[in-house]
Amino acid sequence: KNGRIVIAEVSICSARDVSGNAAYFISSVRDITEERALASQLSYQALHDPLTGLANRALFDDHLFQSRERIARQGGIGAVLLLDLDEFKGVNDTYGHLIGDQLLITIAHRFEKVTRSMDTICRFGGDEFLYLADGLKDASEAKLIGRRLLEALAEPFSFDNIHLEQRASVGIVVWDSSSISMDSVELVQNADASMYEAKRRGHGQLVVFTPEIRQDAVSRFTLDQELRHALAAGEMQMHYQPIIDLTTSKVKGFEALMRWKPPERGWVPPDAFI
């Protein structure tokens, strides 16, 4: 009577007489409005980030899989962009997690406003966001989308008389039907490697993935692991290079230089590991 819509589950069966003719029908009507609403809510929660309301990793992976399948069949270009907020930890350390959460929510809303209808924006976790760009005409469009996301952060943020400027670093990986062999995990890993390369170049930077970036990332990780072993194994040696006054030929001081000589590689120059 009040105009509220009720979702009902209706079951009808016929009752027959001894001759097999339908004598009457028995119907059962059950109100499942609340049940359907709860199911919808649980489905939403399973596929969306509880803080920002953006897609979560599960929904992003599903859309990414569909995009890759579509490009494999029909051709075209897709891209994954990984955005990491620069120095976001400082916001939490200085103003607390409540302001940090409000900043994430506001950033998510700004990203949603510049997200194309066929694309997916996801909170990857912490202060990282994933963007799936679908149906691109060429690779340059991915960079335009990345710049648009960075521009969404240009206006300062204000919360309870707290004014913040926030930038992000963006890594981009682009693929088409010829590079569809990369699986979803590899695509995100490559975007992550590009993002860290962007951070090394300074705040607010954008870098498109190349195989060299991935190789550099692997080399840096391997070097880090080898250095930890070198310290424990005593492979690091301090050498001293004399500083000589050429007018008197006297030693005026020394420069301390760290040297590394792993058994299997020989001398490694300091510019490779410092």
Side-chain angles (χ1 to χ4, degrees):
K1 290 182 178 181
N2 62 8
R4 183 173 64 94
I5 295 177
V6 176
I7 302 176
E9 178 186 77
V10 181
S11 175
I12 303 175
C13 65
S14 60
R16 300 182 181 276
D17 57 23
V18 293
S19 301
N21 299 317
Y24 53 87
F25 293 93
I26 300 174
S27 65
S28 170
V29 181
R30 185 167 70 91
D31 184 348
I32 61 169
T33 306
E34 293 185 4
E35 180 182 316
R36 185 65 62 84
L38 178 60
S40 178
Q41 180 183 1
L42 292 175
S43 176
Y44 181 88
Q45 291 175 349
L47 297 174
H48 293 81
D49 173 56
L51 178 65
T52 63
L54 297 180
N56 64 11
R57 182 64 187 273
L59 183 56
F60 182 88
D61 284 344
D62 178 67
H63 288 186
L64 178 56
F65 174 79
Q66 294 180 38
S67 175
R68 294 176 66 249
E69 290 291 303
R70 186 164 47 252
I71 289 176
R73 293 191 310 267
Q74 305 173 1
I77 297 175
V80 168
L81 296 82
L82 195 153
L83 299 90
D84 184 270
L85 302 182
D86 295 327
E87 298 182 342
F88 179 76
K89 184 178 182 297
V91 176
N92 284 332
D93 292 345
T94 304
Y95 302 108
H97 287 275
L98 180 60
I99 294 298
D101 286 350
Q102 291 181 2
L103 178 59
L104 288 172
I105 293 170
T106 306
I107 288 174
H109 290 165
R110 290 192 185 182
F111 285 165
E112 281 185 304
K113 291 181 179 179
V114 298
T115 299
R116 304 183 309 166
S117 59
M118 70 284 285
D119 295 344
T120 303
I121 181 74
C122 152
R123 185 187 177 203
F124 187 39
D127 60 340
E128 291 185 330
F129 298 84
L130 279 171
Y131 187 106
L132 172 62
D134 208 353
L136 303 179
K137 296 179 181 178
D138 55 64
S140 63
E141 280 191 83
K143 296 182 70 174
L144 293 175
I145 291 173
R147 293 192 184 99
R148 190 158 61 242
L149 291 167
L150 291 178
E151 290 170 0
L153 303 176
E155 182 181 348
F157 299 84
S158 298
F159 310 100
D160 299 328
N161 297 320
I162 297 174
H163 304 287
L164 300 170
E165 291 191 4
Q166 182 64 61
R167 289 188 287 181
S169 300
V170 184
I172 302 175
V173 58
V174 180
W175 80 93
D176 56 20
S177 56
S178 65
S179 55
I180 204 66
S181 58
M182 286 190 292
D183 60 23
S184 299
V185 174
E186 187 177 1
L187 285 171
V188 174
Q189 286 178 339
N190 290 341
D192 188 61
S194 301
M195 182 272 294
Y196 277 106
E197 177 62 27
K199 280 192 177 296
R200 278 188 289 274
R201 298 183 185 183
H203 295 325
Q205 298 297 312
L206 182 153
V207 170
V208 179
F209 174 79
T210 63
E212 291 75 20
I213 290 176
R214 184 65 182 167
Q215 183 57 48
D216 289 346
V218 171
S219 298
R220 279 191 297 271
F221 178 80
T222 303
L223 181 65
D224 180 71
Q225 297 300 310
E226 290 178 348
L227 274 174
R228 293 175 188 273
H229 172 76
L231 289 170
E235 296 175 1
M236 311 299 292
Q237 300 177 16
M238 182 70 77
H239 288 217
Y240 295 94
Q241 179 170 294
I243 300 173
I244 299 175
D245 185 341
L246 296 181
T247 60
T248 63
S249 297
K250 292 183 177 181
V251 176
K252 306 295 291 184
F254 294 90
E255 180 182 5
L257 303 169
M258 185 63 71
R259 291 289 183 263
W260 178 23
K261 188 178 182 181
E264 68 281 1
R265 294 175 59 182
W267 289 107
V268 178
D271 62 341
F273 66 87
I274 289 181

